[in-house]
């Protein structure tokens, strides 16, 4: 409601009497004051207008502060949510100031993410919520597409466009140019929205998978003789791996793009790409049938290898600049990021070819090679996001922050394993 009040407040400035002219002049530190000058000989109206101005300015400050407070609460209660901190007068700021505020905000969000690094419960809860959100989106677009066009043709043959709810999820303010672009493109291809949901779930799954692996391996190193058993978790991760392998085997016989096949398969197999949560029990199990921590770690390693194979099997289709959706400046940013990603991918692949684990289908034997393998999956994920037809600004920021976690120093590869969940 505060947003609607703010909108009404903006419109109230247009209701100025004809005998008054507006002169925008800095007033105080914020530089947002508005001075009124009476153009005719009615000085008694000046004091009234001045009093009204002070009251409205007070309302403006209170509403703006309330909006800021609500945004901060959203960032605290949500993990890695991209909500740029902008006020109603953000259009007056330059692009440099906007970039600095976005960067500083990401630093704050990453600090919150590192707090969650000590416990995975909150991260996993939000992961499940976002997977469910994109499940509902996929079902909706499959139904809408089926009502107008068959699912068998390729996306290029789709003749009817359907509106998308995914473009309305960001809480930030759009500038005038973006508003015009949105009005000019009121409809979107349902196949593009299916692709968006597929890419989002792939990114979310990888963050949950590698985060649990890293955290669990650290726990084993700290408690090597733990008697905790993980029978149920091992079964769930084996199911995760089996479903991935089954999808890889059946995909060549499916009809449509991978995103279409995946969306239909996930409806019938909801556990596909759904990473289970590691949970142990201290109850006494039969020693011959108990799954200890080292055994579960090997199962998770097999799941990561299957996910790596899942990413490698996807057909790579390049997306040219004219086929992307978005403004020209946004497309330029995507192309610039693509060039940086290609350079980092090339360095990583060269290091991987020199490693002992190259061309082996088993889990790497050294910590260095494990980091290289996880880094290869990271760049595959980033490359898949950038190849999408629709890449929002929030998703591009996610890619940029994700790539900052991959670095090279003195001939060694450095990888930050802290999770950063894909935005929705």
């Amino acid at each position: 409601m505060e947003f609607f009040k703010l909108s009404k407040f903006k419109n109230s400035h247009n209701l100025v009497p004809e005998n008054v002219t507006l002169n925008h002049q800095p007033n105080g530190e914020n530089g947002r004051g508005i001075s009124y000058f009476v153009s005719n000989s009615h000085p008694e109206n000046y004091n009234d207008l001045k009093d009204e101005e002070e009251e409205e300015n007070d309302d403006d400050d209170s509403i703006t502060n309330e909006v800021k407070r609500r945004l901060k609460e959203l960032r605290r209660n949500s993990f890695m949510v991209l909500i740029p901190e902008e006020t109603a007068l953000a259009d007056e700021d330059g692009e440099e100031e906007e970039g600095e505020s976005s960067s500083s905000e990401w630093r704050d969000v990453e600090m919150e993410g590192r707090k969650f690094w000590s416990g995975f419960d909150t991260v996993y809860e939000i992961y499940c919520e976002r997977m469910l959100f994109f499940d509902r989106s996929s079902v909706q677009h499959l139904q809408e597409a089926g009502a107008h066009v068959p699912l068998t043709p390729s996306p290029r043959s789709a003749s009817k466009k359907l509106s998308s709810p995914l473009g309305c999820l960001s809480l930030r303010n759009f500038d005038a140019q973006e508003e015009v672009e949105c009005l000019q493109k009121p409809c979107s291809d349902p196949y593009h929205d299916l692709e968006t949901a597929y890419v989002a779930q792939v990114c979310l799954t990888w963050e949950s998978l590698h985060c649990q692996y890293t955290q669990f391996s650290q726990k084993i190193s700290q408690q090597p003789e733990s008697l905790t058993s993980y029978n149920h978790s091992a079964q769930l991760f084996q199911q995760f791996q089996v479903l991935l392998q089954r999808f890889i085997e059946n995909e060549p016989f499916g009809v449509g793009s991978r995103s279409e096949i995946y969306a239909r398969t996930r409806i019938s197999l909801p556990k596909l790409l759904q990473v289970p949560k590691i949970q142990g029990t201290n109850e006494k199990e039969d020693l011959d049938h108990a799954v200890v921590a080292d055994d579960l770690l090997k199962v998770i390693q097999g799941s990561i290898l299957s996910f790596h194979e899942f990413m490698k099997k996807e057909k790579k289709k390049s997306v040219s600049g004219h086929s992307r959706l978005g403004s020209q400046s946004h497309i330029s940013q995507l192309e610039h990021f693509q060039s940086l990603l290609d350079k980092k991918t090339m360095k990583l692949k060269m290091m991987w070819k020199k490693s002992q684990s190259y061309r082996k289908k088993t889990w790497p034997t050294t910590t260095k090679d494990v980091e290289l393998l996880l880094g290869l999956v990271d760049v595959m994920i980033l490359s898949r996001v950038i190849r999408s037809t629709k890449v929002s600004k929030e998703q591009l920021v996610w890619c940029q922050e994700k790539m900052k976690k991959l670095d090279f120093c003195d001939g060694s590869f450095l990888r930050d394993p802290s999770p950063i969940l894909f935005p929705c």
Side-chain angles (χ1 to χ4, degrees):
M1 293 299 296
E2 283 77 6
F3 287 95
F4 292 106
K5 292 180 180 179
L6 184 58
S7 177
K8 293 180 180 179
F9 167 75
K10 288 183 177 180
N11 295 332
S12 64
H13 281 289
N14 296 329
L15 302 178
V16 180
E18 296 179 354
N19 60 333
V20 178
T21 58
L22 294 178
N23 184 18
H24 293 264
Q25 295 180 353
N27 183 18
E29 296 178 357
N30 297 330
R32 301 203 305 261
I34 301 177
S35 299
Y36 292 86
F37 293 94
V38 182
S39 59
N40 60 8
S41 59
H42 293 286
E44 62 275 10
N45 294 337
Y46 177 76
N47 293 331
D48 295 339
L49 289 174
K50 188 174 182 181
D51 293 338
E52 292 178 1
E53 175 201 354
E54 293 177 355
E55 293 178 358
E56 291 175 347
N57 284 338
D58 292 339
D59 294 340
D60 181 21
D61 294 337
S62 63
I63 293 173
T64 303
N65 293 333
E66 180 67 16
V67 171
K68 290 182 178 179
R69 186 183 67 80
R70 291 292 179 88
L71 291 177
K72 290 180 180 179
E73 288 181 357
L74 286 173
R75 287 196 298 274
R76 283 197 301 268
N77 297 331
S78 172
F79 180 67
M80 302 308 290
V81 179
L82 301 180
I83 304 178
E85 183 177 356
E86 298 180 0
T87 62
L89 299 178
D91 294 337
E92 298 177 2
D93 299 333
E95 294 182 356
E96 296 181 358
E97 295 180 358
E98 182 180 355
E100 292 176 359
S101 62
S102 177
S103 178
S104 62
E105 178 188 344
W106 264 100
R107 300 283 78 78
D108 296 339
V109 175
E110 281 210 4
M111 289 180 64
E112 294 180 8
R114 293 181 184 277
K115 292 179 182 178
F116 286 114
W117 183 243
S118 59
F120 189 73
D121 292 342
T122 305
V123 179
Y124 187 79
E125 180 181 353
I126 298 177
Y127 158 73
C128 293
E129 291 176 356
R130 297 192 180 183
M131 292 291 286
L132 180 60
F133 168 81
F134 286 109
D135 277 339
R136 293 171 177 172
S137 174
S138 297
V139 171
Q140 175 184 350
H141 290 299
L142 279 176
Q143 293 175 347
E144 292 177 348
H148 294 271
V149 294
L151 289 175
T152 51
S154 63
R156 294 181 181 178
S157 63
S159 59
K160 296 187 178 182
K161 311 295 181 179
L162 300 175
S163 60
S164 166
L166 295 179
C168 307
L169 296 175
S170 175
L171 297 181
R172 68 178 182 83
N173 295 329
F174 289 92
D175 56 25
Q177 181 179 358
E178 290 175 326
E179 289 180 355
V180 172
E181 292 177 356
C182 291
L183 291 175
Q184 291 177 348
K185 298 179 180 180
C187 298
S188 62
D189 194 324
Y191 294 99
H192 297 162
D193 297 317
L194 286 174
E195 181 187 30
T196 299
Y198 159 73
V199 171
Q201 289 192 331
V202 168
C203 295
L204 288 169
T205 293
W206 173 240
E207 291 301 305
S208 177
L209 184 59
H210 82 78
C211 175
Q212 286 200 87
Y213 166 77
T214 303
Q215 194 177 47
F216 191 63
S217 60
Q218 292 176 355
K219 181 179 180 180
I220 293 177
S221 63
Q222 296 172 0
Q223 303 174 357
E225 299 181 357
S226 176
L227 298 179
T228 305
S229 59
Y230 299 92
N231 291 48
H232 184 61
S233 295
Q235 293 177 357
L236 294 178
F237 273 98
Q238 286 175 344
Q239 182 187 33
F240 174 85
Q241 183 177 357
V242 169
L243 291 178
L244 267 180
Q245 292 174 347
R246 182 185 300 179
F247 180 86
I248 294 173
E249 295 172 356
N250 295 336
E251 183 184 8
F253 306 99
V255 179
S257 63
R258 166 173 274 206
S259 58
E260 298 173 52
I261 300 174
Y262 168 80
R264 292 193 295 265
T265 305
R266 182 159 170 95
I267 293 176
S268 58
L269 299 173
K271 296 297 183 182
L272 177 63
L273 276 188
Q274 189 75 30
V275 180
K277 182 181 179 182
I278 299 177
Q279 291 180 329
T281 177
N282 293 324
E283 297 180 0
K284 293 184 179 180
E285 299 276 354
D286 186 358
L287 296 178
D288 295 334
H289 299 88
V291 177
V292 295
D294 289 333
D295 297 330
L296 177 60
L297 187 65
K298 293 179 181 179
V299 176
I300 299 176
Q301 290 171 352
S303 300
I304 293 178
L305 290 175
S306 297
F307 187 85
H308 180 225
E309 188 70 15
F310 171 80
M311 296 301 300
K312 288 174 60 178
K313 290 295 184 179
E314 183 173 5
K315 297 179 181 179
K316 296 182 179 180
K317 296 182 180 180
S318 59
V319 180
S320 58
H322 66 272
S323 62
R324 292 188 182 275
L325 300 179
S327 62
Q328 186 62 40
S329 60
H330 181 60
I331 294 176
S332 300
Q333 293 177 1
L334 291 174
E335 293 175 348
H336 176 68
F337 177 82
Q338 180 70 65
S339 62
L340 297 178
L341 178 61
D342 291 341
K343 295 178 182 178
K344 188 161 292 190
T345 303
M346 186 178 299
K347 290 182 180 180
L348 192 57
K349 286 184 177 180
M350 290 178 61
M351 296 181 66
W352 176 249
K353 289 181 180 180
K354 296 179 182 179
S355 67
Q356 299 176 358
S357 303
Y358 180 62
R359 291 187 182 280
K360 293 183 179 181
K361 296 184 179 181
T362 58
W363 189 256
T365 56
T366 63
T367 304
K368 179 181 178 181
D369 291 352
V370 170
E371 292 298 304
L372 288 175
L373 174 62
L374 299 179
L376 283 174
V377 181
D378 286 333
V379 295
M380 286 181 177
I381 292 290
L382 292 174
S383 177
R384 184 59 187 90
V385 176
I386 295 301
R387 291 202 313 270
S388 302
T389 306
K390 292 173 58 178
V391 182
S392 66
K393 290 187 177 181
E394 289 83 0
Q395 294 169 0
L396 177 58
V397 172
W398 180 87
C399 292
Q400 293 169 344
E401 294 299 321
K402 180 70 176 175
M403 191 167 67
K404 289 179 182 178
K405 297 179 180 292
L406 310 176
D407 198 7
F408 298 91
C409 181
D410 298 331
S412 300
F413 174 66
L414 303 177
R415 179 178 181 272
D416 183 0
S418 58
I420 170 173
L421 295 181
F422 195 78
C424 64

